[in-house]
Amino acid sequence: MTDSKKVRRTSGKRERLATAAAQVLHAQGVAQTTLADIAQAAEVPVGNVYYYFKTKDDLVEAAIGAQAENLRGMIAALDELPAPAERLKALLAGWVEQRELTARYGCPTGTLASELDKRADGLDRSIATVMRALLDWAEQQFRAMGRADARELAVALIASYQGISLLTNTFRDPDLMTAEAHRLERWIDSLTEGPTTGDDDARE
Amino acid sequence: MTDSKKVRRTSGKRERLATAAAQVLHAQGVAQTTLADIAQAAEVPVGNVYYYFKTKDDLVEAAIGAQAENLRGMIAALDELPAPAERLKALLAGWVEQRELTARYGCPTGTLASELDKRADGLDRSIATVMRALLDWAEQQFRAMGRADARELAVALIASYQGISLLTNTFRDPDLMTAEAHRLERWIDSLTEGPTTGDDDARE
Amino acid sequence: MTDSKKVRRTSGKRERLATAAAQVLHAQGVAQTTLADIAQAAEVPVGNVYYYFKTKDDLVEAAIGAQAENLRGMIAALDELPAPAERLKALLAGWVEQRELTARYGCPTGTLASELDKRADGLDRSIATVMRALLDWAEQQFRAMGRADARELAVALIASYQGISLLTNTFRDPDLMTAEAHRLERWIDSLTEGPTTGDDDARE
Amino acid sequence: MTDSKKVRRTSGKRERLATAAAQVLHAQGVAQTTLADIAQAAEVPVGNVYYYFKTKDDLVEAAIGAQAENLRGMIAALDELPAPAERLKALLAGWVEQRELTARYGCPTGTLASELDKRADGLDRSIATVMRALLDWAEQQFRAMGRADARELAVALIASYQGISLLTNTFRDPDLMTAEAHRLERWIDSLTEGPTTGDDDARE
DNA sequence: TATGAATGAGGTTTCATTCAT
DNA sequence: CATGAATGAAACCTCATTCAT
């Protein structure tokens, strides 16, 4: 009733839960993660979770939202760079930086998509939205590089990332990520060099 | 009474279970699938499953084995083709053929790998073996094409496939697979065009 | 609303379960007892048991703990008596008092030990600890009586009790307990009569 | 149909099962032992067990019978000895010989009695019969020694054995058996020395 | 007789969700 | 808002027993 209570509106617990959920779900997978796991990670009593999230799926959705937020932040940072090719290569660098985490748990977005796509919930659409945002951004970069086949190139790039993340995780070998990133870097370079109007998408 | 009954001694129930498991697990995911689901798909009473498989994980492993068997069959068929580049392109064609299934459920091996890698069982190693077999085969083809960087190319190819499978599934859009396959086809062609110190068709 | 409700904060359900478990396990044996049996005896829903005990074995261990507690209480009461021989004879009297229960179900500690010793759990060690406590106490009494062979006498006494409990139970005949207790009483008396280098009443 | 088939009447499989059951039940306990365990130990296919024993309890009963047979054999051997006190002491010696087995699994008869007494079957009566046979035999010996309280002494002796078996098993310490056997030996000696008409049952 | 296979009842365990305070 | 406790549906798994051959 007092103001002091009104001021710290949600006391940040909701956000804390979403962040914890994102981390734990990435590390353990949706099915293997219990509400208690997330509650514990967020240092919130289990019963209290339901004040903020009506159901477990709601919490998963919030975790997806947290991931979307992360992605937005990353993209914003990349957009600071002047040239589109530079931005894309900075994206690659970020992937390489995360390679240890990827080797252990895979790409956060990809593993979530893979698991949720088997469900009839709306959750599968939520994660698709996040994936599409990344795709759209990449497409913009390729378009800014003057490529008419920007969408196709964007799909190819993100697919390569998702796939190498899977392999990196499957074989628990972060070096796979490093090598593929280098390959993709050279590929991006090759796209800018040639006459931009051609269909020069040969990957090597 | 008929011979047909005598011939398949054990009535093939074990195999039927493994096959059913492979299908259902692909369609629903490991965690969402109950033993009852698989038993029903195989038209076997639940309790009877345990006569053939000691635990659920054993059954999952059998499903992985069934997948490995599929892969071996596919590879054997591809190996009938004379040139390595042709073989790789035939592989791509197979992926395109499966695009509808992939759009609904993703790549059978990839989704399984993604889900199982979060577990401490030996199952994660089993599926990794299947993945490695495909990788090794692709490497052989690139090597037969005279490429010194055969491993890297193989990783790139399989990663692209896994990634585009994920996107195809995420967006429920089989055309993504088709387009990417075409791109990869052109890519493979580009690899053979350049001067590559011969030894083009050595199969092994 | 009343204080009585506030006082026993956790409503004592955990303890109630442990006590019920001790009784039911004594009456039915560990293997023949289902969690549902115990839950019902404690008037607790089955699912709720797992809020207090992670596994059935945990509950069994709690039951052993309840037994240990009983034993401590009994020993504390016996220790009120001035002379060690009196204490031992009071112990015998307690056994006789329990003879009907023993005829039906055997000695709670002994039957549990017998059943649990066939298992690889730590449970067999837990019950051994309870048994040892009784043994140690008896040894102290004999030592206080000036007997150098106190340990051996303690072992003989407890063995006689365990054995006669078994026979009493096997033949469903409480009189066996009564008769043997009398015999043991005379035996204890005979130990004090002889010259035994004093130090008769040193309690510890 | 042929004679050869008639000759090896039951091919000894029934007996083999009973013997195997006795061993396995002693080692693992009734509840922890499955029919498959026993069948395997007897090298008999599981399904075949039911040709010889209508139910698991029937097989347990047969195991009890095998134990009774053992006991009869042992008693017959002891009866070869000239003096009753010698016979009893030979019994003690047998117990000491078995001490390692007892430390691991307890007394075969006692553990079985303890476990079966919790059941409403007739099995509890079967094992009681075995126990009574031993008791009766011991009573005879004491009576032959001229003791009027022969029954009471027999009960005391067997109780001591059952109890020390339990302790030996609980603490996994075969030496307990050895020490107690020596004590009982001295006790038996003390019974013969005095005037046989007295109530000289003081145990030390 | 002999036997691999089949069956289903029953037990343990997990966990999302609800509720009383 | 907060929270420990409660609940029941559903999953996995075991095994005595039966059956077809």
Side-chain angles (χ1 to χ4, degrees):
Chain A
M1 293 301 171
T2 70
D3 251 346
S4 74
K5 217 165 189 172
K6 261 289 152 74
V7 168
R8 47 180 176 89
R9 276 280 291 283
T10 50
S11 78
K13 232 184 236 184
R14 193 191 156 85
E15 195 172 78
R16 210 162 75 223
L17 276 166
T19 307
Q23 285 175 347
V24 179
L25 291 177
H26 181 209
Q28 306 189 349
V30 177
Q32 279 75 32
T33 300
T34 72
L35 268 193
D37 289 337
I38 298 173
Q40 192 179 17
E43 293 182 285
V44 166
V46 196
N48 198 8
V49 172
Y50 281 85
Y51 179 78
Y52 298 98
F53 301 96
K54 233 167 133 84
T55 154
K56 186 188 180 184
D57 280 2
D58 277 7
L59 184 46
V60 174
E61 183 133 37
I64 295 175
Q67 231 173 76
E69 190 55 44
N70 273 351
L71 180 61
R72 270 192 292 277
M74 193 184 70
I75 283 179
L78 294 176
D79 278 339
E80 297 294 316
L81 296 175
E86 272 185 73
R87 292 184 208 126
L88 289 170
K89 290 200 267 185
L91 178 65
L92 293 178
W95 293 343
V96 171
E97 255 178 47
Q98 300 281 322
R99 65 189 183 280
E100 293 289 353
L101 201 63
T102 303
R104 255 185 301 167
Y105 306 128
C107 163
T109 309
T111 54
L112 216 45
S114 180
E115 201 170 352
L116 294 178
D117 273 320
K118 311 245 149 157
R119 303 172 43 161
D121 316 301
L123 292 178
D124 52 346
R125 296 308 89 198
S126 290
I127 191 69
T129 301
V130 178
M131 191 75 85
R132 192 182 306 277
L134 179 59
L135 217 40
D136 289 346
W137 179 85
E139 182 184 1
Q140 280 174 29
Q141 309 315 309
F142 283 117
R143 198 166 307 280
M145 287 166 67
R147 301 290 309 203
D149 54 353
R151 187 63 181 184
E152 197 184 331
L153 295 177
V155 168
L157 178 69
I158 303 306
S160 283
Y161 168 56
Q162 288 300 334
I164 199 65
S165 290
L166 180 62
L167 295 183
T168 296
N169 181 220
T170 299
F171 298 122
R172 308 241 191 280
D173 180 3
D175 294 342
L176 288 175
M177 178 63 79
T178 311
E180 178 70 3
H182 286 161
R183 234 186 52 82
L184 291 171
E185 206 170 13
R186 274 176 281 142
W187 173 65
I188 290 173
D189 284 337
S190 78
L191 294 178
T192 48
E193 285 163 3
T196 33
T197 19
D199 65 339
D200 177 18
D201 61 4
R203 263 174 134 188
E204 175 95 22
Chain B
M1 290 302 173
T2 70
D3 253 346
S4 74
K5 212 161 191 174
K6 258 291 152 69
V7 168
R8 47 189 171 89
R9 276 285 292 285
T10 51
S11 78
K13 219 184 253 187
R14 193 192 158 87
E15 196 172 88
R16 206 162 80 225
L17 275 166
T19 307
Q23 286 175 347
V24 179
L25 290 176
H26 181 206
Q28 307 190 347
V30 177
Q32 279 75 33
T33 300
T34 73
L35 273 186
D37 290 337
I38 298 173
Q40 193 178 18
E43 292 182 286
V44 162
V46 194
N48 195 11
V49 173
Y50 284 89
Y51 181 77
Y52 296 98
F53 301 96
K54 249 164 121 93
T55 79
K56 187 188 180 184
D57 280 2
D58 275 8
L59 184 47
V60 173
E61 184 134 37
I64 296 175
Q67 230 174 77
E69 191 53 44
N70 275 351
L71 180 61
R72 269 192 293 275
M74 194 185 69
I75 284 179
L78 295 176
D79 277 338
E80 296 296 316
L81 296 174
E86 274 184 72
R87 290 181 211 129
L88 288 170
K89 290 199 267 184
L91 178 65
L92 294 178
W95 292 344
V96 171
E97 256 177 47
Q98 301 280 321
R99 66 188 180 283
E100 292 290 352
L101 202 63
T102 304
R104 257 184 300 167
Y105 307 129
C107 163
T109 309
T111 54
L112 216 44
S114 181
E115 199 170 353
L116 294 178
D117 273 319
K118 310 244 147 155
R119 303 173 42 163
D121 315 301
L123 292 179
D124 53 346
R125 297 306 90 198
S126 289
I127 190 69
T129 301
V130 178
M131 190 75 86
R132 192 181 304 279
L134 179 59
L135 218 40
D136 289 346
W137 179 84
E139 182 183 1
Q140 279 175 28
Q141 309 315 310
F142 285 116
R143 197 166 307 282
M145 289 166 66
R147 302 290 310 203
D149 53 354
R151 187 64 181 185
E152 197 184 330
L153 295 177
V155 169
L157 178 69
I158 304 305
S160 283
Y161 168 56
Q162 289 299 334
I164 198 66
S165 291
L166 180 62
L167 295 183
T168 296
N169 182 219
T170 300
F171 298 122
R172 307 250 191 277
D173 180 2
D175 294 342
L176 288 175
M177 178 63 79
T178 312
E180 177 71 3
H182 286 160
R183 233 187 52 81
L184 290 171
E185 206 170 12
R186 275 175 279 142
W187 173 62
I188 290 174
D189 284 336
S190 78
L191 294 177
T192 48
E193 283 164 3
T196 49
T197 41
D199 188 32
D200 194 297
D201 202 350
R203 258 207 201 164
E204 179 94 33
Chain C
M1 290 302 173
T2 70
D3 252 346
S4 73
K5 212 160 191 175
K6 258 292 153 70
V7 167
R8 47 188 170 87
R9 276 285 293 284
T10 52
S11 78
K13 216 183 254 188
R14 192 193 157 87
E15 196 171 89
R16 206 163 80 225
L17 276 166
T19 307
Q23 285 175 348
V24 179
L25 290 176
H26 181 206
Q28 307 190 346
V30 177
Q32 279 75 32
T33 300
T34 73
L35 274 187
D37 290 337
I38 298 172
Q40 192 177 20
E43 292 183 287
V44 162
V46 194
N48 195 11
V49 173
Y50 283 87
Y51 181 78
Y52 296 98
F53 302 97
K54 248 164 122 92
T55 79
K56 186 187 180 182
D57 280 3
D58 275 9
L59 184 46
V60 173
E61 184 134 37
I64 295 175
Q67 229 173 79
E69 190 54 43
N70 274 351
L71 180 62
R72 269 192 294 275
M74 193 185 68
I75 284 180
L78 295 176
D79 277 339
E80 296 296 315
L81 297 174
E86 273 184 72
R87 291 182 211 128
L88 289 170
K89 290 200 268 185
L91 179 64
L92 294 178
W95 293 344
V96 171
E97 255 177 47
Q98 301 279 320
R99 66 189 180 282
E100 293 290 351
L101 202 63
T102 303
R104 258 185 299 168
Y105 307 129
C107 163
T109 309
T111 53
L112 216 44
S114 181
E115 199 171 353
L116 294 178
D117 273 320
K118 309 245 149 156
R119 302 173 41 163
D121 316 301
L123 292 179
D124 54 345
R125 297 307 90 198
S126 290
I127 192 68
T129 301
V130 178
M131 190 77 85
R132 192 182 305 277
L134 177 59
L135 218 39
D136 289 347
W137 179 84
E139 181 183 2
Q140 280 175 27
Q141 310 315 310
F142 285 116
R143 198 165 309 279
M145 288 166 67
R147 301 291 308 204
D149 52 353
R151 186 66 181 184
E152 197 183 331
L153 295 177
V155 168
L157 178 68
I158 304 305
S160 283
Y161 167 56
Q162 288 300 334
I164 198 66
S165 291
L166 180 62
L167 295 183
T168 296
N169 181 220
T170 299
F171 298 122
R172 307 248 191 278
D173 180 1
D175 293 343
L176 288 176
M177 178 63 79
T178 312
E180 177 70 2
H182 287 159
R183 233 188 51 81
L184 291 170
E185 205 170 13
R186 276 174 280 143
W187 173 63
I188 290 174
D189 284 336
S190 78
L191 294 177
T192 49
E193 284 164 5
T196 48
T197 41
D199 187 33
D200 194 297
D201 202 351
R203 256 207 203 164
E204 180 94 41
Chain D
M1 296 300 170
T2 70
D3 252 345
S4 73
K5 214 163 192 175
K6 261 294 155 71
V7 169
R8 48 180 175 89
R9 277 279 292 282
T10 50
S11 77
K13 232 185 237 186
R14 193 190 156 85
E15 195 171 79
R16 210 162 75 223
L17 276 166
T19 308
Q23 286 176 347
V24 178
L25 291 176
H26 181 209
Q28 306 189 349
V30 176
Q32 279 75 32
T33 300
T34 72
L35 268 194
D37 289 338
I38 298 173
Q40 192 181 17
E43 293 182 287
V44 165
V46 196
N48 197 9
V49 173
Y50 281 84
Y51 179 78
Y52 298 98
F53 301 96
K54 232 166 133 87
T55 155
K56 185 187 180 185
D57 280 2
D58 277 7
L59 183 45
V60 174
E61 183 134 38
I64 295 175
Q67 229 173 78
E69 190 55 43
N70 273 352
L71 180 62
R72 271 192 293 276
M74 192 184 70
I75 283 180
L78 294 176
D79 278 338
E80 296 295 315
L81 296 175
E86 274 185 72
R87 292 185 208 125
L88 288 171
K89 289 200 269 185
L91 179 64
L92 294 178
W95 293 344
V96 172
E97 256 178 47
Q98 300 281 320
R99 66 189 181 281
E100 293 289 354
L101 201 64
T102 303
R104 256 184 302 167
Y105 307 128
C107 163
T109 309
T111 55
L112 216 45
S114 180
E115 201 171 352
L116 294 178
D117 274 320
K118 310 246 148 156
R119 304 172 43 160
D121 317 300
L123 292 179
D124 53 346
R125 296 308 89 199
S126 290
I127 191 69
T129 301
V130 179
M131 190 76 85
R132 191 181 307 277
L134 178 59
L135 217 41
D136 288 347
W137 179 84
E139 182 184 1
Q140 280 173 29
Q141 310 315 310
F142 283 116
R143 197 166 309 279
M145 287 166 68
R147 302 290 309 202
D149 53 354
R151 186 64 181 183
E152 198 183 330
L153 295 178
V155 168
L157 178 69
I158 303 306
S160 283
Y161 167 56
Q162 289 300 334
I164 199 65
S165 290
L166 180 62
L167 295 183
T168 296
N169 181 219
T170 299
F171 298 121
R172 308 244 191 280
D173 180 2
D175 294 342
L176 287 176
M177 177 63 79
T178 312
E180 177 69 3
H182 287 160
R183 235 186 52 81
L184 291 171
E185 206 170 14
R186 276 175 279 142
W187 173 65
I188 290 174
D189 284 338
S190 79
L191 293 177
T192 49
E193 283 163 5
T196 33
T197 21
D199 64 339
D200 177 18
D201 62 2
R203 263 174 132 189
E204 176 96 21

